[in-house]
Amino acid sequence: MQPPTVLVVDYGAQYAQLIARRVREAQVYSEIVPADTPVADIVARKPAALILSGGPSSVYADGAPRVDPELFTAGIPVLGLCYGFQAMALALGGEVAPDGTREYGRTELLVRDDAGTLHEGLPARHPVWMSHGDSVVRAPEGFTVTAASDRVGVAAFEDLGRRLAGVQYHPEVGHSPHGQEVLRRFLHDVAGLAPSWTTSSIIDETVAAVRAQIGDGHAVCGLSGGVDSAVAAALVQRAIGDRLTCVFVDHGLLRAGEREQVERDFVAATGAKLHTVDARERFLDALSGVTDPEDKRKIIGREFIRVFEAATAEVAESEHVGFLVQGTLYPDVVESGGGSGTATIKSHHNVGGLPDDLQFELVEPLRALFKDEVRRVGTELGLPETIVARQPFPGPGLGIRIIGEVTADRLETLRAADAIAREELTGAGLDRSIWQCPVVLLADVRSVGVQGDGRTYGHPVVLRPVSSEDAMTADWTRLPYDVLERISTRITNEVAEVNRVVLDVTSKPPGTIEWE
């Protein structure tokens, strides 16, 4: 059963996904729809409320997206944010002016005596995050202006009789410290929505949907060791039991202990049937002599597809499998322009697409979820912290963290250095504050060093700790110096081939998270 849904109408906002996540943090289900969605289609979906996002346009620019006034006659509660606030005001007969009143960044919001529902009881002056050039200079008829700023007279308004409201600022960002409370009040108090989108409800609804889709059939799931595929498999396992078979391909490019983690921890937590394929020699042979990073990615993707297809066909022959489970997340759906209809099978963990003629019906139990929701579901399902809190890891694995040819010796060197870095970060309690920390081996570079009484000529490794919410942008993580010192000392002492540890302090952009 579909939960009550808030639709975030996206006017080209950089924060559209963040708005949807904040709504879910208020325990209300949300989805994103593009701004050109016809009103009739929006109304037909029977949304519990609408949020009109910000956007880069001026409401007066040629071709700027507009809000159809009919949207406000359907009885749906609506909240306008930034551009959505201005477009809402214009559609309802208010006045928006390109008056040169520009506000960007931190701004003091001045809450009026009649603070309305959204701002009642909040500090009379508090910071919010603004980003606009035009301004609402007159609210539509029937609206009460509830807040202003030093430069703008209309920074928030409400018409509670029609359950309509708007704010000029961005409540969804952390720079608006009371923003989440404002969103919560709109959802719970103005729109009247109960906080029913919980981890337990997600599991119950997803398990029921999977049972309905698969029926008495059998399914196969490709496990990578990562959180997405593990949680997807655990949900399907709960739904259909031993009619699910998980396939794990060991391509030899994994980090230390990852195969054992899947075979031990995942199976112990779920009881799932696991089919492991040892393809380490095959991948090493295919990568012999290859140094170009794009060539490495293509080779790894090609070989993975062949191995996975063969393993899946073997399982399907004995189990009569008709369904393929995949850990597609909601951001994948949004970024591919999807959201409804039949899904296209995405690249398997960024290593290459599955064959077009793979004759399975796709099962995507995480298709509606963000990453943080997936982790909470995994915890509720009893998956161990080692899986649920696992940092993102690229499908090509350590193959793209070796700059130069991939060899068995170089893989062992990188595995040892990576294991030390992970162990020290975990010991310092930093796992949750770091998005991921790639360790890169500069295999084609040697540096002079001194160890003991002799001169060495070893390889450098690079630490790349980054913080991010979605990996679209990232900043380097300011790790404590004592942690960095322990990592460097241990690697240069314990990994004989490495005599230098360096720190990558590049943000994304201009750099990427991975080096290759």
Side-chain angles (χ1 to χ4, degrees):
M1 175 177 159
Q2 176 73 24
T5 302
V6 172
L7 296 181
V8 177
V9 184
D10 182 10
Y11 291 95
Q14 60 177 317
Y15 298 130
Q17 287 194 32
L18 183 57
I19 296 169
R21 285 180 56 199
R22 295 292 186 246
V23 172
R24 296 186 185 197
E25 287 172 13
Q27 296 183 301
V28 177
Y29 180 66
S30 63
E31 291 183 4
I32 301 170
V33 296
D36 59 1
T37 306
V39 170
D41 291 354
I42 290 176
V43 174
R45 293 189 59 175
K46 299 181 180 180
L50 300 173
I51 296 181
L52 312 182
S53 83
S57 301
S58 163
V59 292
Y60 292 105
D62 291 339
R66 295 295 181 95
V67 180
D68 188 331
E70 294 221 358
L71 192 66
F72 305 104
T73 65
I76 304 169
V78 181
L79 175 67
L81 309 180
C82 195
Y83 181 88
F85 172 69
Q86 296 175 4
M88 180 181 188
L90 200 63
L92 289 166
E95 185 179 351
V96 181
D99 59 0
T101 305
R102 299 159 61 89
E103 292 179 311
Y104 294 100
R106 188 181 187 277
T107 305
E108 289 289 311
L109 188 74
L110 311 177
V111 178
R112 293 196 169 186
D113 291 340
D114 187 353
T117 297
L118 299 188
H119 297 96
E120 183 180 5
L122 298 183
R125 297 180 69 102
H126 62 264
V128 296
W129 193 256
M130 293 281 197
S131 182
H132 68 100
D134 300 340
S135 300
V136 176
V137 297
R138 181 173 56 82
E141 185 177 348
F143 281 77
T144 300
V145 177
T146 59
S149 73
D150 287 332
R151 304 188 67 188
V152 171
V154 183
F157 56 43
E158 298 179 9
D159 181 346
L160 295 182
R162 288 189 287 173
R163 298 190 295 173
L164 305 177
V167 298
Q168 179 61 74
Y169 59 90
H170 288 278
E172 69 274 18
V173 302
H175 299 292
S176 298
H178 299 285
Q180 184 63 19
E181 175 63 14
V182 168
L183 289 173
R184 188 200 67 77
R185 291 181 181 189
F186 169 73
L187 297 166
H188 297 171
D189 301 336
V190 176
L193 301 176
S196 60
W197 180 247
T198 64
T199 303
S200 294
S201 71
I202 293 170
I203 292 173
D204 291 344
E205 290 162 9
T206 304
V207 167
V210 169
R211 283 177 180 154
Q213 180 182 4
I214 297 179
D216 295 330
H218 291 250
V220 64
C221 177
L223 275 182
S224 68
V227 62
D228 300 341
S229 63
V231 174
L235 279 167
V236 176
Q237 168 72 12
R238 177 166 291 195
I240 67 171
D242 62 5
R243 288 183 284 120
L244 170 70
T245 301
C246 297
V247 174
F248 177 68
V249 176
D250 183 355
H251 49 30
L253 308 173
L254 301 169
R255 296 182 294 186
E258 289 189 308
R259 174 171 173 172
E260 293 77 11
Q261 182 185 83
V262 171
E263 293 179 328
R264 180 190 65 240
D265 297 346
F266 176 79
V267 172
T270 64
K273 289 191 295 186
L274 181 64
H275 179 72
T276 299
V277 182
D278 190 336
R280 289 175 290 183
E281 290 300 323
R282 174 174 181 157
F283 278 82
L284 273 177
D285 289 345
L287 290 167
S288 178
V290 179
T291 59
D292 181 80
E294 189 57 29
D295 288 344
K296 285 196 281 188
R297 284 182 177 272
K298 289 178 179 178
I299 289 168
I300 295 168
R302 180 195 70 209
E303 294 302 315
F304 185 93
I305 290 168
R306 291 174 177 172
V307 173
F308 183 77
E309 185 178 21
T312 302
E314 181 182 332
V315 172
E317 185 175 349
S318 61
E319 301 285 354
H320 308 292
V321 174
F323 298 87
L324 175 65
V325 179
Q326 185 162 293
T328 307
L329 304 189
Y330 189 57
D332 301 324
V333 176
V334 174
E335 289 161 13
S336 65
S340 62
T342 303
T344 299
I345 299 178
K346 69 173 182 178
S347 298
H348 182 83
H349 296 277
N350 303 318
V351 299
L354 292 170
D356 293 334
D357 60 353
L358 202 59
Q359 300 300 310
F360 299 112
E361 182 178 334
L362 197 61
V363 179
E364 296 175 307
L366 310 181
R367 186 177 172 83
L369 304 184
F370 287 100
K371 190 81 169 189
D372 53 338
E373 294 171 320
V374 172
R375 294 190 194 278
R376 291 199 300 271
V377 168
T379 299
E380 182 87 4
L381 290 170
L383 292 178
E385 182 77 1
T386 51
I387 292 178
V388 173
R390 184 179 188 264
Q391 294 177 1
F393 187 61
L398 299 181
I400 58 166
R401 292 183 179 175
I402 294 175
I403 309 303
E405 182 186 5
V406 178
T407 68
D409 289 343
R410 289 174 172 182
L411 282 168
E412 286 308 309
T413 296
L414 180 52
R415 254 191 283 271
D418 175 84
I420 290 170
R422 287 190 291 141
E423 182 179 322
E424 291 297 335
L425 292 173
T426 298
L430 294 170
D431 285 344
R432 292 287 188 173
S433 61
I434 298 175
W435 174 264
Q436 66 188 111
C437 183
V439 179
V440 181
L441 174 65
L442 304 184
D444 284 349
V445 176
R446 287 188 179 273
S447 67
V448 176
V450 178
Q451 291 172 301
D453 295 323
R455 170 187 170 109
T456 63
Y457 200 47
H459 297 291
V461 295
V462 181
L463 303 181
R464 176 71 168 131
V466 295
S467 300
S468 178
E469 285 198 344
D470 53 14
M472 300 300 291
T473 61
D475 193 16
W476 66 280
T477 307
R478 276 67 169 173
L479 295 178
Y481 289 154
D482 60 330
V483 175
L484 289 171
E485 181 183 25
R486 285 198 300 273
I487 293 173
S488 177
T489 300
R490 285 195 57 193
I491 289 177
T492 53
N493 283 345
E494 298 174 30
V495 185
E497 296 80 5
V498 176
N499 67 353
R500 193 179 298 269
V501 177
V502 299
L503 179 66
D504 184 345
V505 296
T506 313
S507 62
K508 176 188 179 183
T512 55
I513 292 177
E514 299 289 346
W515 272 46
E516 289 201 341

